[in-house]
């Protein structure tokens, strides 16, 4: 009897452990699915930001060229004024 009770207790503990592990696995699976969804959202955001940064780079390049041209025009006018003052 003692041995049967011992085996029954062991089986009961193993079943409880198995159920606990199954629940943990279900929770982990849900977490992984949630993370996959979050990562997909982040990938979309990164793609959008990459596109936006590319547009900003083009805009800054255009702005730098225009600034350089304005500087040249200002220097030319300054030289003309200097010659007129002489």
């Amino acid at each position: 009897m003692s041995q049967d009770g011992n085996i029954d207790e062991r089986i009961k503990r193993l079943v409880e452990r198995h159920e606990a592990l199954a629940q943990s696995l279900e929770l982990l699976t849900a977490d992984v699915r949630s993370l996959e969804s979050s990562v997909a959202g982040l990938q979309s955001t990164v793609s959008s930001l990459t596109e936006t940064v590319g547009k900003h780079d083009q805009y800054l390049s255009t702005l730098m060229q225009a600034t350089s041209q304005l500087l040249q025009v200002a220097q030319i006018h300054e030289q003309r004024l200097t010659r007129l003052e002489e």
Side-chain angles (χ1 to χ4, degrees):
M1 272 307 222
S2 169
Q3 207 173 26
D4 288 339
N6 193 15
I7 290 174
D8 288 341
E9 285 297 317
R10 290 173 121 185
I11 290 173
K12 182 181 175 184
R13 284 194 307 257
L14 286 173
V15 167
E16 289 171 354
R17 286 181 186 168
H18 175 72
E19 289 173 356
L21 287 171
Q23 288 176 351
S24 293
L25 184 58
E26 287 177 18
L27 291 172
L28 286 171
T29 301
D31 286 346
V32 167
R33 287 189 181 133
S34 175
L35 287 172
E36 286 173 343
S37 176
S38 295
V39 167
L42 287 173
Q43 286 174 331
S44 175
T45 301
V46 167
S47 293
S48 176
L49 288 174
T50 299
E51 184 178 328
T52 301
V53 167
K55 289 178 182 177
H56 285 168
D57 282 348
Q58 291 174 345
Y59 175 74
L60 284 174
S61 176
T62 302
L63 190 59
M64 287 173 59
Q65 289 173 349
T67 302
S68 176
Q69 291 170 351
L70 282 172
L71 177 61
Q72 289 175 350
V73 168
Q75 288 172 339
I76 290 169
H77 284 291
E78 184 179 357
Q79 290 170 0
R80 284 183 186 166
L81 288 173
T82 301
R83 280 186 295 213
L84 288 174
E85 289 175 351
E86 291 177 351

